[in-house]
Amino acid sequence: MSLLSDDGMAYPIEQSLFDYSGLYLPVQALRDLSIQHVLNIEGVWEAANTEVNTNDLSKNILFLEENNGCLTPGEIIEKNGKYEINISLTFCQFLWAVGLYISTVFDNVVQIPMMNAMGCNIHGYKANMAAVEFAGDSFFRARRLLETQWRKEIFFEIPNICDPQAFRDEIGKANALMISGVGFIFAHELAHSYLGHTQTVSNANQMVKDEIAADELAFDWLAETFGADDGYTNKVGIANLLCALLFMGPDSVSGGGSHPHMDIRIDLLMKRMDVPEIDVLWGYVGSALRLWLMVYGGYSIAEDMALKPFNFYRDFYDFYLAKLRETRQRLFPEWVKPDWYVE
């Protein structure tokens, strides 16, 4: 199977080792759409074409399962003298469930009660707690994909997206967010090649800078779509990807010396979204930060309930981002070299 452009450039997609016949899992139904989505962006297509012709980028994109837990969403690796973009199907499956969960919880548990409190729920939206339960169940099943030893059957516990039944709207949002998120993963790895990172050997400090630079270039490429009909969805898809990276575990908030810390990475890209302080995107990401803090950061429901109401979604986001940064600094203190230290 290949994805062809008008000028004939192909990106063959290597088939999964799993048998998906008769099933419609997110990773089966959406992975090719994700690549088509991002390669339809002019800047991405031009960069990919340039890199294939001049910088040893392989035309192959490998989607693979990780049998020892989800270790990396994507990477660009040298293989047979070429640099090949690899994307984790395991992470894609997890990413879909994160989009389902955060969007459903935000709509029903955060946004509708907030509109009720402010007296602006003019359409009389009602919270759908059955959808919240469905999304929560799907998300917590998907979290098992992150376990060191997971059973392949876990893949098939994710809902069939072509038979959404009562949760058509929720599944539709999750599908769109996964397509945009996987597109950003591809663009990020392509950016590493385009910026020459595959041709140099970097120390830890430079690796962090390279990751930020790849994020920024990938964002610039995808920003070409922001003015289109689905442009806002692409913004949320990028934000949702960052939330999924954070949700990978208690250690994910730290960059570990080779990546930017997640509080920094999230804030750099969120500030580039160029949305007003009342925009719900701040609330969407703020809700994800709040959840991580409650699960991994020792932040309690009692503390949260004692808070005064926020004026804007941006205030909501800023509060939980500051809490996330404090927690990261507490859990992963960075060693500061004393003046007398000599390398």
Side-chain angles (χ1 to χ4, degrees):
M1 172 170 46
S2 17
L3 301 175
L4 296 172
S5 73
D6 293 337
D7 63 3
M9 181 179 174
Y11 268 87
I13 305 299
E14 209 169 304
Q15 291 294 315
S16 167
L17 299 177
F18 286 178
D19 179 11
Y20 294 125
S21 59
L23 298 170
Y24 295 93
L25 300 171
V27 292
Q28 176 203 23
L30 302 176
R31 60 181 181 176
D32 300 342
L33 290 174
S34 301
I35 299 302
Q36 289 172 342
H37 157 73
V38 74
L39 287 176
N40 282 334
I41 300 171
E42 184 177 358
V44 176
W45 170 251
E46 291 178 352
N49 194 39
T50 298
E51 292 305 287
V52 166
N53 290 320
T54 65
N55 206 20
D56 296 325
L57 180 66
S58 171
K59 289 185 178 182
N60 293 328
I61 305 169
L62 177 64
F63 282 85
L64 72 163
E65 295 89 5
E66 297 176 89
N67 295 320
N68 297 314
C70 186
L71 303 178
T72 177
E75 60 184 345
I76 183 166
I77 63 172
E78 187 175 4
K79 186 175 180 180
N80 300 324
K82 295 283 188 177
Y83 291 93
E84 181 180 83
I85 294 177
N86 288 185
I87 297 176
S88 167
L89 280 177
T90 312
F91 179 79
C92 291
Q93 197 85 320
F94 177 70
L95 173 65
W96 181 87
V98 170
L100 173 69
Y101 182 65
I102 302 179
S103 61
T104 304
V105 169
F106 178 72
D107 287 346
N108 293 283
V109 179
V110 178
Q111 192 170 14
I112 290 177
M114 190 171 290
M115 288 192 298
N116 290 338
M118 297 178 66
C120 61
N121 188 0
I122 59 175
H123 298 290
Y125 294 119
K126 303 291 186 183
N128 184 348
M129 298 314 294
V132 172
E133 183 178 356
F134 163 73
D137 181 64
S138 300
F139 172 60
F140 287 109
R141 288 174 185 269
R143 285 180 63 190
R144 295 171 60 202
L145 293 169
L146 306 181
E147 296 172 359
T148 303
Q149 295 292 331
W150 55 267
R151 297 176 293 104
K152 289 187 177 181
E153 302 88 77
I154 297 174
F155 250 72
F156 309 114
E157 293 177 358
I158 302 299
N160 182 330
I161 67 171
C162 293
D163 186 22
Q165 299 178 354
F167 306 111
R168 183 176 301 273
D169 290 345
E170 290 79 12
I171 286 177
K173 288 181 181 179
N175 293 349
L177 296 178
M178 177 178 160
I179 289 172
S180 298
V182 174
F184 187 84
I185 294 173
F186 175 85
H188 174 95
E189 300 306 331
L190 174 62
H192 278 305
S193 178
Y194 191 80
L195 294 170
H197 300 163
T198 58
Q199 308 297 327
T200 59
V201 177
S202 300
N203 58 29
N205 288 336
Q206 187 58 47
M207 289 172 69
V208 172
K209 293 178 181 178
D210 288 350
E211 291 298 325
I212 292 174
D215 268 357
E216 291 179 341
L217 180 55
F219 183 93
D220 287 343
W221 284 332
L222 269 65
E224 295 179 24
T225 71
F226 290 171
D229 291 340
D230 60 352
Y232 191 80
T233 298
N234 291 333
K235 286 185 178 183
V236 182
I238 295 172
N240 186 68
L241 168 65
L242 297 172
C243 296
L245 292 173
L246 179 64
F247 280 179
M248 289 180 72
D251 299 343
S252 60
V253 69
S254 170
S258 61
H259 284 70
H261 300 308
M262 281 307 301
D263 55 293
I264 295 173
R265 188 177 188 184
I266 289 170
D267 202 37
L268 286 172
L269 288 178
M270 282 298 295
K271 286 177 177 175
R272 299 197 67 199
M273 295 288 186
D274 192 27
V275 292
E277 60 185 359
I278 61 173
D279 196 281
V280 296
L281 187 56
W282 298 112
Y284 185 95
V285 177
S287 297
L289 305 183
R290 176 177 175 268
L291 177 62
W292 188 94
L293 287 163
M294 288 183 170
V295 174
Y296 298 118
Y299 184 58
S300 71
I301 294 177
E303 288 179 86
D304 200 64
M305 291 182 66
L307 297 176
K308 295 180 180 179
F310 296 96
N311 292 322
F312 302 107
Y313 279 123
R314 175 64 186 271
D315 298 334
F316 180 85
Y317 163 86
D318 284 340
F319 175 82
Y320 291 111
L321 181 73
K323 294 285 291 184
L324 184 71
R325 182 160 296 153
E326 292 169 6
T327 303
R328 186 259 301 168
Q329 292 170 341
R330 172 172 55 83
L331 296 178
F332 301 94
E334 297 185 68
W335 183 60
V336 178
K337 297 177 183 178
D339 293 339
W340 48 261
Y341 183 83
V342 178
E343 294 191 22

